[in-house]
Amino acid sequence: MSTPAGPGTPPPPPPYPPTPPRTDPPRWAWWVGGIAIPLVGILVTVAFGGKDSGPVAAPAPGTVDSATQPASPSPSGTPSSKEPEPPAPSDEAPSASASASASPAADLTAPDGYAKALSTMWGLAPVPCTQHEQQLIDLDDGTSRTEDENNGAVQEPGGAELLYWPDTCTGLGDYQLRALPNTRVGLLRVDAPKSFDSCRAAAGTGFGALALSERNDREDRGFVEGAALCSVTDKGTVAMAVIEHISGDAVDDVSVSGPLHVWAATP
């Protein structure tokens, strides 16, 4: 029993209300929720999203290796959209100097009063000077003959226009070429038109002795591959002897060959 309070004694304080029960979820519940909620989201996505995956974005152009991508067959008669690559520039293009020195193609058109041009070959083929031979060339048809060498003198021209003879016969290349007296022969330079008119005009310029073994002399005179010797012969024929090939040097006597085009005068 409680002892009654005496007079003047204050009453005791009322008791504290009881503490309400804890309502926060325990810590383990937070861990379970953190795992369960994402798992439910995945299951929902699989269950409902698998029926219609929606449009798929096209890959960006150029992301697929063209070497491994099979070519799409194109309809018959439809050209492929892929453009062929242009060929790589060649490193073997002719140089500007070679193009500038190229001989123009021959124009064999015959004018009135002349027959259609006939084409054959001509050449200079020296023998050792110790054989004492000189060569005479007839530009009417390209034929040549030899006779005994006599220091450049000719016993019987026989209609020839050119003489090729050994000058000193010292054992080195010393053959010289010249037009025979009383003939019309001239040099048509490499860059001049190769035609009837230009050849007939060049024939009146004359052609003096030239040491073919001296390359510098040949080049200074214009006796080079692509040029031509032109003549109006004793028969009235216009002849163009093209210098197509030159071989030999200061030691070996020089040989020359090429095509011969002739326009014969008609009656």
Side-chain angles (χ1 to χ4, degrees), residues 18-175:
T19 303
R22 187 183 181 95
T23 61
D24 294 339
R27 291 185 176 181
W28 59 268
W30 291 105
W31 289 97
V32 173
I35 297 175
I37 292 174
L39 182 60
V40 171
I42 295 173
L43 293 175
V44 172
T45 301
V46 173
F48 296 97
K51 295 181 180 179
D52 185 9
S53 59
V56 180
T63 57
V64 180
D65 186 357
S66 59
T68 59
Q69 179 72 13
S72 299
S74 58
S76 176
T78 302
S80 172
S81 61
K82 184 177 181 180
E83 295 292 338
E85 295 183 0
S90 173
D91 293 336
E92 298 181 358
S95 64
S97 59
S99 300
S101 62
S103 174
D107 176 9
L108 303 183
T109 304
D112 293 340
Y114 288 84
K116 180 181 178 181
L118 297 178
S119 298
T120 183
M121 298 293 292
W122 78 289
L124 305 175
V127 298
C129 63
T130 54
Q131 295 186 22
H132 305 289
E133 288 184 1
Q134 57 190 19
Q135 181 183 9
L136 295 97
I137 301 94
D138 189 340
L139 293 181
D140 282 300
D141 52 14
T143 57
S144 66
R145 61 184 176 84
T146 59
E147 67 177 24
D148 291 340
E149 181 269 330
N150 185 19
N151 296 319
V154 177
Q155 289 84 18
E156 181 55 49
E161 282 75 38
L162 297 174
L163 173 66
Y164 196 37
W165 85 101
D167 186 26
T168 60
C169 196
T170 59
L172 300 176
D174 63 354
Y175 267 77

